[in-house]
Amino acid sequence: MQSRRTFMCGCLGAFAACSLFPRVANAKLIDLLPPSDPVDGKTFRVICAHDVRDNLLATFNTSTMVDPYAIDTGTLTSIFSWLQANNYHTITVKQIEEARHGGRPLPPRAVLLTFDDGFRSHYTKVLPLLQRFKYPAVMGIVTKWIDTPDNEPIQISDKVQVPRDAFMSWDEVQKVGSSDLVELACHTHDLHHGAIANPQGNELPATTSHLYLEDQKRYETDEEFDARVRNDLQTCMRKVHDRTGVTIRSMVWPYGAENHPVRKVATSLGMDIQFSLDAGPNTPDVPLDRLRRILMMYDTDVGDFERSIREPATNRGDVDVVERVVQVDLDQVYDPNPAQQEKNLGVLVERIYEMKPKSVYLQAFADPKGTGVAESVYFPNRHLPMRADLFSRAAWQLNTRSNVQVYAWMPVLAFRPPPEKLHGLETVSAYGGAPPRENQTRGFRLSPFDPNARLMIEQIYEDMSKYASFSGILFSDDAVLDDYEDASRHALQAYAQWGLPRDIGQIRAKPDLMERWTRQKTRYLLDLTRQLEQIVLANQNAGDVLTARNIFAQPVLNPESEAWYAQNYDDFLNTYNFVALMAMPYMEQASNPDRWLDQLVDIVSKKQRGFSKTVFELQSYDWHARKEIPAGTLLAQMRQLRRRGAVNFGYYPDNFLHDQPDLEAMRDVMSLKSRLDRTSINALMQPQQHKGTTAQ
């Protein structure tokens, strides 16, 4: 699975060697292909192409300036011929709207063609091909690029310029727009670039990021963000209408970067049809404002195309992948001296780059006391002090420089706001007859049943997702309620709504009530994390956020212990993309760590998709003995897991400042060496660092 959606689609990048672009072997056997899409009158595919060039691969051999998103003219012609020979039917936006609103159904094997960025080749090469095959298409226009005077280069990004004649003139836009075969779409006026999105100068997609205003030392407000996007889209629509007479009704998001706020803006301007860059078919359940597209690249041939046009939708987490995870304390990066902090981050980024795991679980909250309670965080927000504006920078550097997926590691309940904000909020409290800390789960937590506490938690997650870009969320191990919790006022009201007594003593006195209470609490915490996931998804680029949740070993080894934690392994497997199983024998004080791990593996192996969705998190530090666990011990445990069939594993903590566990020892077992694929290209195509050289 890609770590994130392609960022620099259609833009030229500087690459020294074309060998960075791997070519997929062409399996031509038809029986290896998945079946075609259902014939339901509403399902269709969308194809996305950019520049079209003659003898494309030859240009790669003569220049270091290459565009992996261009496609060869001959290849495009062959694809058009293949569509024709295999009874595919090209369709228009109008036909899609009619079919979705109960009108005439779409033909079988329906395909919509789209071309992004307004390249001159769309006029000189694509339009003649459309006329030859009588195929309709959508062309997304970046109006600022078309506005550029003839004698000036077009600034694609902070570092890359291209000649003006690479793109159409307004006269050529008018000519393609007047064709009965072409519908013009908005590809923004001036948002097809990265923009400064944190104090350290990292560039993130301009369409979805709250920009950092360097001169004012602050971020855009929500109102300013909305106005900036709205004004840009209106400008694009107005310019196209003034120059061509065309009223735009479709939005093509640059890099596929979009979220709920910007989709809402585009819809309010009359652009109900909106295109992303997620792959797969557009079945009736795919909203019109999040249409999927198949991205054509420089090495696409007809065999690749045939496979991609039959490829099923890949829901997040549905594709079996191999996970290697390093969990990192951002507290170790933090330093009150900005120069030292940047140096620390550079050490981390270099280490992860050298180790090459798949993912990093990166702490987004501050916990210098090691209590697991967030009293401050590493991003701007409405409720907690910000220790440093560090999470956005660290997550972006790790993703783009170390080429890993970054999960925001966050508490679910363990937030302690300042006294003035904590006043009036309920915290998780135990029933009066509870033995003190019997099950070691009674750390400080806000009550999930208090609507004001829950609102605060939701807003903290919302703020994190506005001011940082990341691939996933790790819900921490604080999301627990033991067999005496929660006895707060709002919790008791919730129990009454579940048909239970308002008294925990009465619930505990009857096994059937106890079982119902336990299951309801587990589901309630699951529902809370689902809600937090949706809040994050609304503000991140759609489809980019994976979920993982920590589970203690006891609910796996002994399902009856669900009562002590409100955690259920089967529920976790069915709810999250990954279950981060705390496979930490020294924390559990297991007398025989190897046998204890074998017991865990035995149980996981019996679960449907247990191995594919469970990440065994080992420990690299013994908190009881207060000593580091040797890298050799970790390696032996990882090899033991692999021998038993486990595929996903990692460790916590990573003491990167002191090379513990030893990098050289861990590299072979943690590295996924085959990851130089299109995800690697995506990372290389990210906007360049705006300022500063550390952690490159």
Side-chain angles (χ1 to χ4, degrees):
M1 176 176 292
Q2 289 186 325
S3 63
R4 67 183 51 253
R5 186 180 294 116
T6 305
F7 190 90
M8 290 298 290
C9 295
C11 298
L12 303 180
F15 294 88
C18 296
S19 61
L20 286 174
F21 305 130
R23 178 175 295 279
V24 180
N26 295 324
K28 299 297 185 182
L29 296 177
I30 193 68
D31 58 348
L32 296 179
L33 296 174
S36 299
D37 295 335
V39 181
D40 55 15
K42 293 184 178 180
T43 296
F44 60 97
R45 299 273 178 159
V46 183
I47 300 166
C48 170
H50 292 82
D51 197 10
V52 180
R53 302 182 192 174
D54 294 337
N55 302 314
L56 177 64
L57 294 181
T59 67
F60 280 24
N61 296 327
T62 60
S63 172
T64 59
M65 294 295 292
V66 300
D67 181 358
Y69 304 103
I71 188 170
D72 190 87
T73 310
T75 301
L76 183 63
T77 305
S78 296
I79 287 172
F80 278 13
S81 296
W82 185 90
L83 290 171
Q84 188 178 68
N86 287 275
N87 298 316
Y88 280 82
H89 299 85
T90 53
I91 56 174
T92 65
V93 167
K94 182 178 180 181
Q95 287 176 276
I96 293 169
E97 290 178 315
E98 288 179 351
R100 282 293 183 92
H101 295 115
R104 187 176 181 179
L106 296 175
R109 299 191 177 190
V111 173
L112 176 68
L113 304 174
T114 66
F115 296 85
D116 289 5
D117 296 348
F119 285 99
R120 171 156 280 131
S121 61
H122 298 173
Y123 172 68
T124 60
K125 301 181 187 303
V126 175
L127 182 59
L129 278 174
L130 297 177
Q131 292 168 336
R132 172 181 162 189
F133 285 87
K134 296 182 174 55
Y135 283 173
V138 173
M139 293 186 178
I141 305 298
V142 182
T143 49
K144 184 175 182 181
W145 296 352
I146 309 300
D147 276 344
T148 304
D150 290 341
N151 59 346
E152 294 182 13
I154 292 178
Q155 195 77 32
I156 295 293
S157 71
D158 187 50
K159 301 293 184 182
V160 179
Q161 291 182 342
V162 297
R164 172 62 186 85
D165 63 5
F167 294 89
M168 287 187 284
S169 66
W170 273 116
D171 181 60
E172 290 164 335
V173 172
Q174 194 278 329
K175 289 178 181 177
V176 296
S178 65
S179 169
D180 292 338
L181 295 172
V182 175
E183 175 167 334
L184 298 178
C186 175
H187 203 28
T188 75
H189 172 65
D190 186 23
L191 294 179
H192 200 307
H193 56 80
I196 305 304
N198 59 37
Q200 298 87 358
N202 290 114
E203 291 187 355
L204 276 67
T207 48
T208 53
S209 304
H210 281 61
L211 304 188
Y212 185 75
L213 309 176
E214 294 180 280
D215 56 338
Q216 302 176 48
K217 306 300 179 187
R218 68 174 182 88
Y219 287 89
E220 282 181 313
T221 64
D222 289 351
E223 293 74 21
E224 289 169 334
F225 169 78
D226 182 276
R228 176 172 59 84
V229 174
R230 182 177 299 276
N231 291 339
D232 182 276
L233 302 191
Q234 286 178 321
T235 299
C236 178
M237 297 174 72
R238 184 182 69 251
K239 284 180 173 288
V240 170
H241 185 269
D242 290 347
R243 293 285 194 150
T244 69
V246 172
T247 298
I248 282 180
R249 56 181 175 173
S250 300
M251 179 67 214
V252 181
W253 293 109
Y255 328 120
E258 43 84 10
N259 57 25
H260 177 71
V262 299
R263 292 198 305 271
K264 185 177 178 182
V265 169
T267 299
S268 73
L269 297 175
M271 293 185 287
D272 297 328
I273 303 290
Q274 300 176 37
F275 298 97
S276 73
L277 280 174
D278 290 328
N282 291 291
T283 48
D285 59 318
V286 176
L288 290 178
D289 65 353
R290 297 179 66 179
L291 293 178
R292 300 164 172 160
R293 296 194 293 169
I294 301 166
L295 177 62
M296 300 290 97
M297 294 187 69
Y298 87 99
D299 60 349
T300 300
D301 61 20
V302 174
D304 299 326
F305 179 78
E306 183 174 4
R307 284 189 295 279
S308 64
I309 206 165
R310 292 169 174 263
E311 184 180 39
T314 53
N315 295 321
R316 293 175 302 109
D318 281 355
V319 178
D320 289 339
V321 297
V322 176
E323 269 285 18
R324 296 288 184 271
V325 176
V326 178
Q327 188 162 346
V328 174
D329 289 318
L330 203 51
D331 291 328
Q332 199 173 11
V333 174
Y334 170 79
D335 194 283
N337 181 341
Q340 184 60 49
Q341 179 172 279
E342 191 71 2
K343 182 178 179 181
N344 294 345
L345 178 58
V347 173
L348 172 63
V349 170
E350 179 66 19
R351 176 178 170 87
I352 296 300
Y353 175 80
E354 291 293 331
M355 192 180 297
K356 292 181 173 57
K358 180 69 178 294
S359 302
V360 169
Y361 293 163
L362 183 65
Q363 182 188 37
F365 63 102
D367 183 24
K369 301 175 185 176
T371 63
V373 179
E375 298 188 20
S376 59
V377 292
Y378 287 113
F379 52 86
N381 72 101
R382 285 165 273 186
H383 297 295
L384 298 175
M386 182 174 69
R387 194 182 193 200
D389 194 349
L390 180 57
F391 178 70
S392 171
R393 164 75 166 169
W396 191 249
Q397 293 296 97
L398 284 165
N399 174 248
T400 59
R401 311 303 179 194
S402 302
N403 191 26
V404 292
Q405 296 185 139
V406 177
Y407 286 65
W409 166 26
M410 282 282 282
V412 178
L413 305 177
F415 296 99
R416 189 194 297 270
E420 65 274 13
K421 285 186 172 284
L422 182 59
H423 179 72
L425 297 181
E426 291 186 351
T427 58
V428 173
S429 60
Y431 172 63
R437 298 184 61 79
E438 180 185 66
N439 296 309
Q440 302 295 312
T441 64
R442 295 198 198 121
F444 178 90
R445 284 151 293 150
L446 295 175
S447 172
F449 301 100
D450 179 353
N452 291 325
R454 181 164 177 149
L455 177 62
M456 176 178 285
I457 294 167
E458 292 172 353
Q459 290 177 341
I460 290 172
Y461 271 78
E462 181 181 21
D463 291 340
M464 177 182 66
S465 63
K466 284 181 182 177
Y467 297 111
S469 179
F470 46 91
S471 305
I473 316 164
L474 171 66
F475 296 114
S476 194
D477 57 13
D478 66 298
V480 291
L481 294 169
D482 73 19
D483 51 338
Y484 291 91
E485 296 172 337
D486 178 8
S488 65
R489 177 172 58 92
H490 283 99
L492 297 178
Q493 291 174 356
Y495 306 157
Q497 293 172 356
W498 298 345
L500 296 168
R502 290 176 179 262
D503 183 280
I504 290 177
Q506 294 180 33
I507 295 174
R508 288 182 55 83
K510 295 185 177 181
D512 61 324
L513 296 182
M514 186 70 183
E515 182 179 355
R516 282 175 51 199
W517 182 51
T518 296
R519 293 298 298 138
Q520 288 283 14
K521 288 191 297 180
T522 299
R523 293 177 182 133
Y524 192 84
L525 291 176
L526 287 169
D527 289 342
L528 172 57
T529 59
R530 285 195 192 101
Q531 179 62 26
L532 297 176
E533 175 192 1
Q534 291 304 311
I535 289 169
V536 171
L537 277 170
N539 290 280
Q540 291 284 294
N541 295 338
D544 279 351
V545 181
L546 300 164
T547 56
R549 183 172 167 189
N550 277 135
I551 190 169
F552 287 99
Q554 277 304 309
V556 178
L557 292 169
N558 175 19
E560 291 183 0
S561 67
E562 179 183 353
W564 311 337
Y565 297 94
Q567 293 187 341
N568 181 284
Y569 182 44
D570 289 325
D571 287 349
F572 280 28
L573 288 173
N574 291 327
T575 302
Y576 306 105
N577 299 117
F578 294 102
V579 180
L581 171 56
M582 298 166 68
M584 301 181 175
Y586 309 103
M587 185 176 74
E588 299 286 344
Q589 297 183 290
S591 58
N592 187 322
D594 290 346
R595 186 182 305 161
W596 185 87
L597 283 174
D598 280 341
Q599 290 176 326
L600 270 184
V601 175
D602 286 342
I603 294 170
V604 172
S605 69
K606 293 179 173 63
K607 301 292 184 180
Q608 184 177 11
R609 303 200 69 187
F611 277 150
S612 65
K613 298 192 72 171
T614 302
V615 178
F616 291 83
E617 272 207 276
L618 301 169
Q619 61 184 111
S620 60
Y621 187 82
D622 187 337
W623 292 280
H624 290 294
R626 297 185 179 181
K627 65 179 183 180
E628 295 173 346
I629 294 171
T633 302
L634 271 180
L635 288 173
Q637 291 175 344
M638 291 175 177
R639 288 166 181 154
Q640 175 186 352
L641 291 172
R642 287 200 301 192
R643 283 196 304 271
R644 298 296 312 281
V647 293
N648 305 320
F649 50 80
Y651 66 88
Y652 171 77
D654 185 76
N655 189 344
F656 55 90
L657 293 179
H658 297 93
D659 191 27
Q660 200 284 324
D662 178 70
L663 173 62
E664 291 302 317
M666 300 302 297
R667 193 197 322 256
D668 286 344
V669 73
M670 290 296 294
S671 173
L672 295 177
K673 296 178 181 178
S674 63
R675 289 192 299 115
L676 188 56
D677 53 13
R678 290 187 179 176
T679 301
S680 307
I681 296 174
N682 296 343
L684 289 167
M685 293 291 284
Q686 305 292 356
Q688 300 298 310
Q689 176 74 4
H690 179 66
K691 62 182 181 181
T693 57
T694 308
Q696 292 295 310

